[in-house]
Amino acid sequence: MYSDKVMNEFKKPKNMGKIENADGIGTVGNPVCGDMLKVYIKVKDNKITDVKVETFGCVSAIATSSKATEMVKGKTIEEALELSKDEVAKELGGLPPIKMHCSVLAIDGIRKSIEDYKKKNKKQ
Amino acid sequence: MYSDKVMNEFKKPKNMGKIENADGIGTVGNPVCGDMLKVYIKVKDNKITDVKVETFGCVSAIATSSKATEMVKGKTIEEALELSKDEVAKELGGLPPIKMHCSVLAIDGIRKSIEDYKKKNKKQ
Amino acid sequence: MEVYLDNAATTPMRKEVFEEMEKYFFQDYGNASSLHLFGQKAFEEKENAREKIAKLLGVKSKEIYFTSGGTESDNLALKGIIQKSNKKKVIVSAIEHPAVLRTAEFLAKQGKKLSVIPVNSEGIIDLNKLKKEIDSDTALVSVMHANNEIGVIQPVKEIAELCMEKNVLFHSDTVQTIGKIKINLKETGIDLASISAHKFNGPKGIGAIYIKEGTPIEPLIHGGGQENKLRSGTENIPGIIGLSKALELSLKNIEEEQKRQEELRNELIKFVLEIPKTRINGTYEKGKRLSNNVNASFYGIEGEALIAFLNEEGVFASTGSACSSKSLKASHVLLALGLSHIWAHGSLRLTFGRQTTKKEINYVKEKLPGIVEKLRKMSSIK
Amino acid sequence: MEVYLDNAATTPMRKEVFEEMEKYFFQDYGNASSLHLFGQKAFEEKENAREKIAKLLGVKSKEIYFTSGGTESDNLALKGIIQKSNKKKVIVSAIEHPAVLRTAEFLAKQGKKLSVIPVNSEGIIDLNKLKKEIDSDTALVSVMHANNEIGVIQPVKEIAELCMEKNVLFHSDTVQTIGKIKINLKETGIDLASISAHKFNGPKGIGAIYIKEGTPIEPLIHGGGQENKLRSGTENIPGIIGLSKALELSLKNIEEEQKRQEELRNELIKFVLEIPKTRINGTYEKGKRLSNNVNASFYGIEGEALIAFLNEEGVFASTGSACSSKSLKASHVLLALGLSHIWAHGSLRLTFGRQTTKKEINYVKEKLPGIVEKLRKMSSIK
Ligand SMILES: Cc1ncc(COP(=O)(O)O)c(C=O)c1O
Ligand SMILES: Cc1ncc(COP(=O)(O)O)c(C=O)c1O
């Protein structure tokens, strides 16, 4: 079902865990559907210097969490917001159609964490 | 489907053919159903001295034609009329339920030939 | 000598097919729905088989669905289409296999409309009648490709065109042709086609159905949603592998093999016709009959008795005689050709396979006339 | 190490079963409906197999009908009974296999009435609710014998009594129990029972259904009238032979084997429960659960990820998690027990077979905790 790239990413996922003093946090998904992600980012000079993710979810959710966070690390906020689910899926050698919603989830998590960061920044 | 006895009787059927100057002839069955029998008898002193049968029909029809004619040969008219389909079937080691009508046919053919004999005799 | 000439009923499986299937019994035995390695292997092999079959038939992978055999495929086609249609009428030919006829009759009993189209004395469907019968309430036309008793091939392309014109779905029972004739299903224009593996040296208990993409159809068997939700049940992987291998092998040198059988057939037909009061049932005009089918009737003889004597000589054949079946009704196919009951009861079907040799046919020629004579001698019908 | 613990999904075929089947592929390949020697042999072997199966299950030969598998048998039971009944209602349990549930839902869509009976947190059906639901319009109750996900065994005898009292037919999906538990079908009082060979080391693509003599039922698959007119289609003789052999072998030393597996199961359950935030789904009270089934949930873990990591270690298991299926809905069985979605998504099913060893279970014990820990560490749900 899954490509080798997905399986390799899944087997050794990167950026798993949480950041204690995150600048932004994004929670997406719903345990009813079997997927829930929490993305933590550290931002410095408009750049994502660190990103971590906690994932409750399937192979696909874990693999895309890992890959998507890898892809935004070091990027500017604007660049990170431009990352699309297709890009992530492509990097992973494709995802089964039924699992496409998982790659949306990772992207959504990152966006939400950026939103959260922006909101917090405005307040200050 | 058929017992060995049926098959043996079928393979070497007795009394097949016609009697040229038969004392009685009985035709039964219908080509629509795939079975048609013609029984010929010779009668002397109230005894069936010879019997022959022509059979258009299946394995079961041929086997019962052979067996039933064997069973009435040499019998008196009255004895012959008493022969039942179960007796014939029994002698053949049983017949498949679906084929029981074939043994009725042979019996019916013999009875009809006797009727014919009686009718002809009355006239004379 | 043992001569098996009942290949239209079923065929021996090929060794190569068996060898291909073997490991799926013990080694790669996974359930194709399972996520682990064993399941994924099974899934892939199944999809490879589907792709192979699709390619051989000129259609898309996703247009092939596995079933348990020809009968199930026929049932699925008729019931599944009518279920999803808002039209009520089904049209079938008079010489369909019971898998289609009984199903159509069942639908009629359920309140659907059924129309049965006659065939001519050669066994070819009356296209004009068919055309007239297709009305705005017609959901489906089902006409078999080649008949199982007489081997006569129907003009499916013309029927497909007619159905297309009238915007009606067309199912064809291709059980007797797929694996025996080269067919590009796409090109024929058929919407649904039934396949049965054991008819072309594949395993029993596995079949398939081609359903043109986008055809609305309700499953016959509901459940776990296998086969793209159309046919539930744990997939019979060894069977699927066997079906695809058998089809591949059958089509490999198909033209040659067809020609070889056709020669045997023509020779045997010629021989049989030399026996007095004998007829061949169904046309044997070139291209209009399966190359493996001889169906003859011998006047005044009952078919079951004939095949029983042949059986004693080691020749295994079949008959459309009622006495051979549990129904006690003479072959509906032969009656549809216009045969009288006597002729219909006296039929003999000899169907060849890849393993059939000229020597075997010579053996039949040696034995048959004597048996016919013997039975005629006994018969009350001269 | 490769450890196959998905025996509820399917099992490897036994060598002895295969050996018994082999000759029917090439040698005795006849069509059981053919009149000649080849056909008659096939016919006899088929009837011998049927008799053997009937004897093993304590019923009459003519009460056993061959089908293509458990799913077909379930469909036949529900659709066939309702078709012939003048009553409109079908009652099923909430934890039935999709082969029953989807079929029942289809019937509901067709205008029949459907009532779904809940189970308690242990997975046992609510008999009072069932009793209340049976009314004068009820044609059939269908409650499975043992559940495929959690292995919980339903009180079929009591249900049968209830149905008898109320004069309603009772079908039980015995796919997970026949071949695993000694059952005398006559004594249980079940009217219809589904059987699938590949669940007890027999071949795929063959099953059977027990139907009590005299039960009015319409065929699901119409055609040539095989199987005493109830199930048409050329009989899958190798499959039938395989089914009967597999059943015979399975029941040979069944009590011993059950006891052996039960010990492994209890040991594994005990081990799993020592992992924090873990539960066993469904009762494991003695006699109320299949001896080959462990179904555990690990809080905060998604099942597909769990079995994927187990797969990497060579352990082949399954999950009721939605993410493992194409439906994206969590296991209806686990939800019916009252589990929250988080618990339901975190389920792991390990099902043993005859080939399962203590060594294999020890291997699982070695690998499982580490994987659970790893996934929990990653998880957003703590
Ligand atoms: C034309 C035709 N249709 C359908 C079938 C049914 O196929 P199966 O026996 O594989 O179910 C057969 C053979 O029996 C056949 O010859
Ligand atoms: C309880 C139960 N019923 C029915 C089935 C369906 O059986 P099959 O896959 O053989 O059609 C299964 C297995 O998939 C099952 O576990």
Side-chain angles (χ1 to χ4, degrees):
Chain A
M1 184 155 97
Y2 292 116
S3 69
D4 287 348
K5 279 188 183 165
V6 171
M7 285 311 296
N8 288 334
E9 198 71 30
F10 164 72
K11 279 184 260 174
K12 293 201 172 17
K14 284 120 213 155
N15 308 319
M16 289 290 138
K18 79 198 274 184
I19 299 175
E20 281 306 334
N21 299 307
D23 297 322
I25 300 177
T27 304
V28 287
N30 186 330
V32 170
C33 306
D35 293 299
M36 202 169 98
L37 263 67
K38 213 163 169 179
V39 177
Y40 302 82
I41 49 171
K42 269 290 196 195
V43 182
K44 202 174 169 183
D45 298 339
N46 200 40
K47 264 198 184 154
I48 298 178
T49 56
D50 198 10
V51 52
K52 281 213 175 333
V53 58
E54 289 179 326
T55 304
F56 164 76
C58 62
V59 170
S60 188
I62 290 172
T64 51
S65 295
S66 168
K67 183 54 82 186
T69 50
E70 275 290 282
M71 289 171 83
V72 296
K73 207 184 230 175
K75 293 252 167 79
T76 63
I77 295 278
E78 291 70 30
E79 284 166 346
L81 284 172
E82 266 170 26
L83 184 69
S84 77
K85 71 171 200 290
D86 291 340
E87 281 171 276
V88 177
K90 204 176 152 203
E91 274 297 304
L92 288 167
L95 282 171
I98 191 91
K99 297 287 190 175
M100 280 308 286
H101 72 285
C102 303
S103 51
V104 187
L105 222 54
I107 300 284
D108 284 354
I110 291 167
R111 287 184 187 163
K112 266 209 166 171
S113 71
I114 293 174
E115 260 173 51
D116 182 51
Y117 159 75
K118 284 184 175 167
K119 221 183 290 169
K120 280 181 186 153
N121 255 28
K122 256 183 215 153
K123 277 187 205 145
Q124 289 171 343
Chain B
M1 185 156 96
Y2 292 116
S3 69
D4 288 348
K5 279 187 184 165
V6 172
M7 286 310 295
N8 287 335
E9 198 71 32
F10 164 73
K11 280 184 259 174
K12 294 202 170 17
K14 283 121 215 155
N15 309 319
M16 289 289 138
K18 79 196 273 187
I19 298 176
E20 283 305 335
N21 299 306
D23 296 322
I25 299 178
T27 304
V28 288
N30 187 330
V32 171
C33 306
D35 292 300
M36 201 169 99
L37 264 65
K38 212 163 169 180
V39 177
Y40 303 82
I41 50 170
K42 268 291 194 196
V43 181
K44 200 173 172 185
D45 298 340
N46 200 41
K47 264 194 183 155
I48 299 178
T49 55
D50 197 10
V51 53
K52 283 217 174 333
V53 58
E54 288 180 326
T55 304
F56 165 75
C58 62
V59 170
S60 188
I62 290 173
T64 53
S65 295
S66 168
K67 182 54 83 184
T69 50
E70 275 291 282
M71 288 172 85
V72 296
K73 204 184 231 177
K75 292 250 168 81
T76 64
I77 295 280
E78 290 72 30
E79 284 166 346
L81 285 171
E82 265 169 26
L83 184 70
S84 76
K85 70 170 199 291
D86 291 341
E87 281 171 276
V88 177
K90 205 177 148 203
E91 273 297 305
L92 288 168
L95 284 170
I98 191 93
K99 296 288 189 174
M100 280 308 286
H101 73 282
C102 304
S103 49
V104 187
L105 222 55
I107 301 284
D108 284 355
I110 291 168
R111 287 185 187 163
K112 267 210 167 171
S113 70
I114 293 174
E115 260 173 52
D116 182 51
Y117 159 74
K118 284 184 176 169
K119 223 183 288 170
K120 281 183 186 154
N121 254 26
K122 253 182 218 156
K123 278 187 205 148
Q124 288 171 342
Chain C
M1 198 166 180
E2 293 209 332
V3 182
Y4 183 78
L5 291 177
D6 202 11
N7 290 277
T10 195
T11 57
M13 203 162 84
R14 285 196 182 197
K15 277 275 175 211
E16 302 99 301
V17 171
F18 179 73
E19 279 157 17
E20 195 97 354
M21 288 167 70
E22 199 169 351
K23 76 167 175 171
Y24 297 95
F25 287 119
F26 321 106
Q27 194 181 316
D28 292 353
Y29 55 81
N31 185 320
S33 301
S34 295
L35 281 180
H36 47 66
L37 189 68
F38 271 56
Q40 290 310 301
K41 253 196 222 167
F43 181 85
E44 273 165 32
E45 291 300 337
K46 171 172 71 78
E47 293 312 314
N48 289 344
R50 194 191 311 276
E51 206 172 308
K52 187 151 87 180
I53 294 164
K55 227 176 234 164
L56 288 166
L57 301 176
V59 299
K60 294 181 199 160
S61 270
K62 61 178 163 189
E63 295 177 320
I64 298 292
Y65 302 83
F66 295 109
T67 69
S68 69
T71 301
E72 185 190 326
S73 295
D74 285 345
N75 272 259
L76 171 57
L78 271 71
K79 294 175 186 168
I81 290 295
I82 204 84
Q83 189 86 49
K84 280 274 183 187
S85 179
N86 48 17
K87 299 172 185 172
K88 284 242 280 272
K89 186 165 157 183
V90 176
I91 303 177
V92 304
S93 89
I95 61 169
E96 292 302 307
H97 188 272
V100 167
L101 274 185
R102 295 292 96 74
T103 302
E105 286 161 9
F106 169 75
L107 292 172
K109 224 179 58 187
Q110 298 293 101
K112 306 295 178 187
K113 284 191 269 179
L114 171 61
S115 170
V116 180
I117 307 295
V119 296
N120 66 16
S121 62
E122 306 273 71
I124 308 273
I125 191 169
D126 186 331
L127 283 175
N128 282 329
K129 282 242 171 74
L130 174 61
K131 199 169 177 174
K132 265 186 229 150
E133 272 300 322
I134 303 179
D135 61 16
S136 60
D137 199 26
T138 303
L140 183 74
V141 168
S142 180
V143 176
M144 68 201 315
H145 195 184
N147 181 269
N148 46 303
E149 290 188 33
I150 55 175
V152 170
I153 298 169
Q154 302 297 331
V156 285
K157 258 192 169 162
E158 273 140 280
I159 300 171
E161 271 165 34
L162 199 60
C163 289
M164 192 116 57
E165 236 170 66
K166 301 249 191 175
N167 204 16
V168 161
L169 291 169
F170 174 36
H171 166 249
S172 185
D173 178 341
T174 49
V175 165
Q176 289 290 346
T177 48
I178 284 183
K180 290 192 195 124
I181 293 184
K182 202 159 198 81
I183 306 176
N184 183 309
L185 283 174
K186 186 101 290 163
E187 283 174 11
T188 56
I190 295 171
D191 296 302
L192 305 98
S194 306
I195 303 169
S196 179
H198 71 94
K199 303 286 188 186
F200 49 89
N201 308 97
K204 293 181 174 62
I206 187 79
I209 184 167
Y210 157 72
I211 305 176
K212 194 176 167 180
E213 204 180 348
T215 305
I217 185 163
E218 175 76 30
L220 178 67
I221 296 179
H222 296 83
Q226 288 90 343
E227 294 297 302
N228 202 12
K229 297 213 172 71
L230 189 64
R231 206 298 190 172
S232 294
T234 301
E235 296 95 331
N236 177 0
I237 306 290
I240 289 169
I241 299 297
L243 164 53
S244 89
K245 186 70 186 175
L247 188 61
E248 183 191 19
L249 291 173
S250 292
L251 296 179
K252 213 160 222 172
N253 57 345
I254 183 87
E255 274 100 0
E256 249 171 86
E257 177 59 20
Q258 247 177 291
K259 222 181 123 202
R260 187 187 75 87
Q261 291 188 23
E262 212 160 87
E263 276 167 26
L264 292 181
R265 182 197 72 186
N266 292 345
E267 191 185 313
L268 188 55
I269 286 181
K270 205 172 142 222
F271 177 83
V272 163
L273 285 175
E274 279 164 14
I275 301 175
K277 288 197 176 180
T278 297
R279 51 168 290 154
I280 294 294
N281 300 314
T283 183
Y284 47 99
E285 206 181 298
K286 201 164 169 49
K288 293 199 175 167
R289 188 188 192 101
L290 289 177
S291 47
N292 79 331
N293 177 296
V294 173
N295 188 309
S297 280
F298 303 91
Y299 192 82
I301 286 181
E302 198 283 327
E304 194 206 45
L306 180 56
I307 64 169
F309 272 125
L310 283 169
N311 184 60
E312 290 304 312
E313 302 289 351
V315 176
F316 307 129
S318 102
T319 171
S321 165
C323 265
S324 78
S325 68
K326 286 170 184 162
S327 77
L328 300 178
K329 271 186 231 148
S331 158
H332 69 287
V333 174
L334 299 181
L335 295 179
L337 298 188
L339 269 67
S340 70
H341 278 88
I342 294 178
W343 280 108
H345 280 293
S347 77
L348 172 69
R349 181 184 74 175
L350 300 166
T351 46
F352 317 154
R354 308 203 140 242
Q355 74 289 354
T356 306
T357 61
K358 193 170 166 72
K359 207 174 134 201
E360 290 179 339
I361 299 302
N362 285 339
Y363 182 77
V364 172
K365 285 157 76 172
E366 203 180 289
K367 296 295 172 186
L368 183 63
I371 294 173
V372 169
E373 203 188 316
K374 178 156 69 176
L375 281 166
R376 281 190 172 154
K377 233 182 191 160
M378 293 186 198
S379 179
S380 58
I381 295 172
K382 302 291 176 184
Chain D
M1 198 167 180
E2 293 210 332
V3 182
Y4 182 77
L5 290 176
D6 202 10
N7 290 277
T10 195
T11 57
M13 203 162 82
R14 286 196 181 197
K15 276 275 176 210
E16 301 100 301
V17 171
F18 179 72
E19 279 157 16
E20 195 97 355
M21 288 167 69
E22 198 169 352
K23 75 166 176 172
Y24 297 96
F25 287 119
F26 322 105
Q27 194 181 317
D28 293 351
Y29 55 81
N31 184 321
S33 301
S34 296
L35 281 180
H36 48 65
L37 189 69
F38 271 56
Q40 291 309 302
K41 252 197 223 166
F43 181 84
E44 273 164 34
E45 293 299 337
K46 170 172 72 78
E47 293 312 315
N48 289 344
R50 194 191 311 277
E51 206 172 306
K52 186 152 87 181
I53 294 164
K55 228 177 234 163
L56 289 166
L57 300 177
V59 299
K60 293 180 199 161
S61 271
K62 61 178 162 189
E63 295 177 320
I64 297 291
Y65 302 84
F66 295 110
T67 68
S68 69
T71 300
E72 185 190 327
S73 294
D74 285 345
N75 273 259
L76 171 57
L78 271 72
K79 294 174 187 169
I81 291 295
I82 205 82
Q83 189 85 50
K84 280 275 182 187
S85 179
N86 47 19
K87 299 172 185 173
K88 285 240 279 271
K89 185 164 156 183
V90 176
I91 303 177
V92 304
S93 89
I95 61 169
E96 292 302 307
H97 188 272
V100 167
L101 274 185
R102 296 291 97 75
T103 303
E105 286 161 9
F106 169 75
L107 291 172
K109 223 179 59 187
Q110 297 293 101
K112 307 295 177 186
K113 284 190 269 180
L114 171 61
S115 170
V116 180
I117 307 295
V119 296
N120 65 16
S121 61
E122 306 272 71
I124 308 273
I125 191 170
D126 186 331
L127 283 176
N128 281 329
K129 282 240 171 76
L130 174 60
K131 199 170 177 172
K132 264 186 231 150
E133 272 299 323
I134 303 178
D135 60 16
S136 60
D137 199 26
T138 304
L140 183 74
V141 169
S142 181
V143 176
M144 68 202 316
H145 194 184
N147 181 269
N148 47 303
E149 289 189 32
I150 56 174
V152 171
I153 298 169
Q154 302 298 330
V156 284
K157 258 192 169 162
E158 273 140 281
I159 300 171
E161 272 165 34
L162 198 61
C163 289
M164 190 117 58
E165 236 170 68
K166 301 248 192 176
N167 204 17
V168 161
L169 290 170
F170 174 35
H171 166 250
S172 183
D173 178 341
T174 49
V175 165
Q176 289 289 345
T177 48
I178 283 183
K180 289 193 195 124
I181 292 185
K182 202 161 198 80
I183 305 177
N184 183 309
L185 283 173
K186 185 101 291 166
E187 283 174 12
T188 56
I190 295 171
D191 295 303
L192 305 97
S194 306
I195 302 168
S196 179
H198 72 93
K199 302 288 187 184
F200 48 88
N201 307 98
K204 292 182 174 60
I206 187 79
I209 184 167
Y210 156 73
I211 305 177
K212 194 175 165 179
E213 205 181 346
T215 305
I217 185 163
E218 175 77 30
L220 178 67
I221 297 179
H222 295 83
Q226 287 91 341
E227 293 297 302
N228 202 11
K229 299 211 170 70
L230 190 63
R231 206 296 190 174
S232 294
T234 301
E235 296 95 330
N236 176 359
I237 306 289
I240 289 170
I241 298 297
L243 164 53
S244 90
K245 187 70 186 175
L247 188 60
E248 184 192 17
L249 291 173
S250 292
L251 295 179
K252 215 161 221 171
N253 58 345
I254 183 88
E255 274 101 359
E256 251 172 85
E257 178 60 20
Q258 246 176 293
K259 222 181 123 204
R260 188 186 75 85
Q261 292 189 21
E262 212 160 86
E263 276 166 26
L264 291 181
R265 182 197 72 188
N266 292 345
E267 192 185 313
L268 188 55
I269 286 182
K270 206 172 141 221
F271 176 84
V272 163
L273 285 175
E274 279 164 13
I275 301 175
K277 287 197 177 178
T278 298
R279 51 169 289 153
I280 294 295
N281 300 314
T283 182
Y284 46 99
E285 206 181 296
K286 203 168 167 43
K288 291 196 175 169
R289 189 188 191 100
L290 288 177
S291 46
N292 81 330
N293 177 296
V294 174
N295 187 308
S297 280
F298 303 90
Y299 191 83
I301 287 181
E302 198 282 326
E304 194 205 46
L306 179 56
I307 63 169
F309 272 126
L310 282 169
N311 184 60
E312 290 304 313
E313 301 290 352
V315 176
F316 308 129
S318 101
T319 171
S321 165
C323 266
S324 77
S325 67
K326 287 171 184 164
S327 78
L328 300 179
K329 271 186 232 149
S331 157
H332 69 288
V333 174
L334 299 181
L335 295 178
L337 299 188
L339 268 68
S340 71
H341 278 88
I342 294 178
W343 279 108
H345 280 293
S347 77
L348 172 69
R349 181 183 74 174
L350 301 166
T351 46
F352 316 154
R354 310 205 137 239
Q355 73 289 355
T356 306
T357 61
K358 194 171 165 71
K359 207 174 135 202
E360 290 180 338
I361 300 302
N362 285 339
Y363 181 77
V364 173
K365 285 157 76 172
E366 204 180 288
K367 296 294 172 187
L368 182 62
I371 295 173
V372 169
E373 203 188 315
K374 176 154 72 176
L375 281 166
R376 281 191 172 154
K377 235 182 190 159
M378 294 186 196
S379 179
S380 59
I381 294 173
K382 301 292 178 187

